[in-house]
Amino acid sequence: MVDVKQALVPDIGHEQVPVIEVLVKPGDTVAVDQGLVTLESDKATMELPAPFAGVVKEVKLKVGDEVSQGSVIALIETAADSGKAENDGKTTGKNAEASAPVTSSPAAAAAREVVVPDIGSDNVPVIELLVAVGASVRKDQGLVTLESDKATMEVPAPFDGVVKELKVKIGDTVSPGSLLALVEAAGEAAPQARTAAAVAEPAAVSASAPAPAEAAASKAVAAAAPVQAGPRPPFDARIVMPGDAPYASPAVRAFARELGVEIHQVKGSGRGGRIQREDVAAWVKHALAAGARPTEAGAGGQGNGLNLLPWPKVDFAKFGEVEEQPLSRIKKISGANLARNWAMIPHVTQHDEADITELEAFRKQLGAENKDLKVTPLVFQIKAVVAALKAFPTFNASLDASGEKLILKKYFHIGIAVDTPDGLVVPVIRDADQKGLLTLAAELGEISRKARDKKLGAAEMSGGCFSISSLGGIGGTGFTPIVNAPEVAILGVSKAQTKPVWNGKDFAPRLMLPLSLSYDHRVVDGAAAARFTAFLAAQLGDIRRLLL
Ligand code: CAO
């Protein structure tokens, strides 16, 4: 007998955590504990495992969705009694609490033992000590950081107190129940019970996860419980990391991966030597200036083979008055990306023009009927690009890290270059193929606003398949946009102008839109680019085609 059950998001300790990866698709057979989706908060990356074995009937989440406890991940068809069987023998955080042995500590009269809660894995390495002996800690302050292959997590202090003894060092591996530290509870005089750190987090750790996902909850809750939402308190001591275990948050590691930077190469400037986003960006900047070779991952497997001269050092003040202006953070980061993409992708730009005379008449009519919306030519361009990506799937692709495979995408997420006072950002409109012109117009307005107000989250700028950079509101007759790696092409749009166009009998005034398609010539041939651009022009020239 089969049964379709919902796999739900367990208590992950946060609200609205973005999905950064969907690991299964309908039809996949999954084993218990196999990852279904990956979430990434600003504190941790975590996989949510399947609570029961079965066949995925429907995946309810997509990349970019934000989830909280109870969100449905997927529908899984399973043997009717398998969920019960899988749950047997699994401990929830609550169970872990109940089963944690209670002993008094001979080592310190008024100190309590703090042990690793149920983190869902054994032998997890300690990668950072966040406190030193003698440090005063507050409840929920991180004591150590653990990093499994599934998540990086901090184990918090279960109560206020003073660290009497640290029982682990960097590089030790720990399992649920391992003794981490002796902490003398604030204002406590008598010896107390052994305490699992998880116990201090009843809301996050107790079996409050929805019943159908209980088995998943037991694993993911445990992993998520130690992740703290609040700001990390100041360090009481500087902890120096050994060279082979640099500490960087999952978000920074993801950023480094995106740029093809081997995290071990980066020197951290944060407290305790932790690597920050700025350190990664600075490493790339330095590497590019020095002609160093980023790792294979970012090079599409080709290696850059660059041997550039160092950046010229000039004392400009020798030649006249100067003023120094620091680059914004966005400019530094986008600059490093642009420099790499420009240097490493063999770019070619294909130019064309679309006759948008009829489109413009329709756009104006649509604008008049929807006065609360700004319907610009860009929404039509998004629709036309989606149609072109469907017709030419190679453009909706990325080279994999080895540079030997093309990953063809079946989704249509379109990045839009937005000019902000601090520099260029590229938010992504997801599933543009499933949205109408008015929805796209509303979403475009929203992301432009968020970009300019600096309110865009990382998830809103990831997962793009193809980018559009429109300078049409400003001017110009054409330009050569830089491909936004690992995408393989980008459409630049300049200002539409009324021009005399020969129609076979006469020159007629037509509104012509300049299109500039830059592409990665390793993936796209010139003929394909010319066809793609001509197809785009045809779509824009006859908007009835956008309905097809
Ligand atoms: N031709 C003629 N007019 C155009 C046009 C085009 N191709 N594209 C837009 N326009 C018009 C719009 O209709 C609008 O007219 P009204 O003010 O009369 O309504 C005006 O130009 C301004 O449009 P907009 O720029 O506000 O809106 P948009 O949807 O075209 O673009 C956005 C939105 C966010 C993409 C844009 O504001 C922006 O930031 N562009 C810059 C992107 C950039 O910097 N790219 C360079 C990357 S490489 O460094």
Side-chain angles (χ1 to χ4, degrees), residues 214-225:
E214 197 176 2
S218 69
K219 180 172 179 186
V221 162

PDB file of all heavy atoms in Angstrom, residues 214-225:
ATOM      1  N   GLU A 214       8.450  14.293  11.325  1.00  0.00           N
ATOM      2  CA  GLU A 214       9.159  14.178  12.591  1.00  0.00           C
ATOM      3  C   GLU A 214      10.576  13.674  12.435  1.00  0.00           C
ATOM      4  O   GLU A 214      11.506  14.194  13.055  1.00  0.00           O
ATOM      5  CB  GLU A 214       8.388  13.259  13.518  1.00  0.00           C
ATOM      6  CG  GLU A 214       8.848  13.438  14.940  1.00  0.00           C
ATOM      7  CD  GLU A 214       8.039  12.607  15.887  1.00  0.00           C
ATOM      8  OE1 GLU A 214       7.161  11.870  15.421  1.00  0.00           O
ATOM      9  OE2 GLU A 214       8.287  12.700  17.074  1.00  0.00           O
ATOM     10  N   ALA A 215      10.752  12.661  11.593  1.00  0.00           N
ATOM     11  CA  ALA A 215      12.100  12.117  11.466  1.00  0.00           C
ATOM     12  C   ALA A 215      13.047  13.159  10.907  1.00  0.00           C
ATOM     13  O   ALA A 215      14.179  13.300  11.352  1.00  0.00           O
ATOM     14  CB  ALA A 215      12.087  10.889  10.568  1.00  0.00           C
ATOM     15  N   ALA A 216      12.572  13.914   9.899  1.00  0.00           N
ATOM     16  CA  ALA A 216      13.415  14.963   9.323  1.00  0.00           C
ATOM     17  C   ALA A 216      13.710  15.997  10.381  1.00  0.00           C
ATOM     18  O   ALA A 216      14.821  16.494  10.508  1.00  0.00           O
ATOM     19  CB  ALA A 216      12.709  15.625   8.151  1.00  0.00           C
ATOM     20  N   ALA A 217      12.671  16.288  11.169  1.00  0.00           N
ATOM     21  CA  ALA A 217      12.846  17.304  12.192  1.00  0.00           C
ATOM     22  C   ALA A 217      13.964  16.920  13.123  1.00  0.00           C
ATOM     23  O   ALA A 217      14.794  17.737  13.491  1.00  0.00           O
ATOM     24  CB  ALA A 217      11.545  17.477  12.969  1.00  0.00           C
ATOM     25  N   SER A 218      14.011  15.647  13.470  1.00  0.00           N
ATOM     26  CA  SER A 218      15.003  15.252  14.451  1.00  0.00           C
ATOM     27  C   SER A 218      16.392  15.545  13.953  1.00  0.00           C
ATOM     28  O   SER A 218      17.262  15.903  14.726  1.00  0.00           O
ATOM     29  CB  SER A 218      14.860  13.770  14.776  1.00  0.00           C
ATOM     30  OG  SER A 218      15.246  13.002  13.669  1.00  0.00           O
ATOM     31  N   LYS A 219      16.602  15.431  12.647  1.00  0.00           N
ATOM     32  CA  LYS A 219      17.944  15.676  12.139  1.00  0.00           C
ATOM     33  C   LYS A 219      18.189  17.158  11.891  1.00  0.00           C
ATOM     34  O   LYS A 219      19.130  17.727  12.395  1.00  0.00           O
ATOM     35  CB  LYS A 219      18.126  14.896  10.837  1.00  0.00           C
ATOM     36  CG  LYS A 219      19.496  15.097  10.265  1.00  0.00           C
ATOM     37  CD  LYS A 219      19.740  14.178   9.107  1.00  0.00           C
ATOM     38  CE  LYS A 219      21.134  14.447   8.571  1.00  0.00           C
ATOM     39  NZ  LYS A 219      21.427  13.725   7.391  1.00  0.00           N
ATOM     40  N   ALA A 220      17.265  17.749  11.123  1.00  0.00           N
ATOM     41  CA  ALA A 220      17.529  19.135  10.743  1.00  0.00           C
ATOM     42  C   ALA A 220      17.385  20.086  11.915  1.00  0.00           C
ATOM     43  O   ALA A 220      18.093  21.065  12.016  1.00  0.00           O
ATOM     44  CB  ALA A 220      16.598  19.536   9.615  1.00  0.00           C
ATOM     45  N   VAL A 221      16.456  19.784  12.826  1.00  0.00           N
ATOM     46  CA  VAL A 221      16.290  20.649  13.986  1.00  0.00           C
ATOM     47  C   VAL A 221      17.570  20.665  14.773  1.00  0.00           C
ATOM     48  O   VAL A 221      18.051  21.708  15.199  1.00  0.00           O
ATOM     49  CB  VAL A 221      15.139  20.139  14.868  1.00  0.00           C
ATOM     50  CG1 VAL A 221      15.226  20.737  16.259  1.00  0.00           C
ATOM     51  CG2 VAL A 221      13.821  20.492  14.243  1.00  0.00           C
ATOM     52  N   ALA A 222      18.124  19.473  14.927  1.00  0.00           N
ATOM     53  CA  ALA A 222      19.331  19.408  15.722  1.00  0.00           C
ATOM     54  C   ALA A 222      20.424  20.221  15.074  1.00  0.00           C
ATOM     55  O   ALA A 222      21.168  20.937  15.738  1.00  0.00           O
ATOM     56  CB  ALA A 222      19.767  17.965  15.853  1.00  0.00           C
ATOM     57  N   ALA A 223      20.500  20.136  13.744  1.00  0.00           N
ATOM     58  CA  ALA A 223      21.549  20.891  13.061  1.00  0.00           C
ATOM     59  C   ALA A 223      21.286  22.373  13.158  1.00  0.00           C
ATOM     60  O   ALA A 223      22.198  23.168  13.282  1.00  0.00           O
ATOM     61  CB  ALA A 223      21.602  20.472  11.593  1.00  0.00           C
ATOM     62  N   ALA A 224      19.999  22.722  13.121  1.00  0.00           N
ATOM     63  CA  ALA A 224      19.700  24.144  13.071  1.00  0.00           C
ATOM     64  C   ALA A 224      19.682  24.780  14.452  1.00  0.00           C
ATOM     65  O   ALA A 224      19.927  25.960  14.594  1.00  0.00           O
ATOM     66  CB  ALA A 224      18.326  24.343  12.420  1.00  0.00           C
ATOM     67  N   ALA A 225      19.392  23.969  15.462  1.00  0.00           N
ATOM     68  CA  ALA A 225      19.194  24.555  16.779  1.00  0.00           C
ATOM     69  C   ALA A 225      20.337  25.434  17.249  1.00  0.00           C
ATOM     70  O   ALA A 225      20.104  26.507  17.783  1.00  0.00           O
ATOM     71  CB  ALA A 225      18.957  23.441  17.788  1.00  0.00           C
TER      72      ALA A 225
END
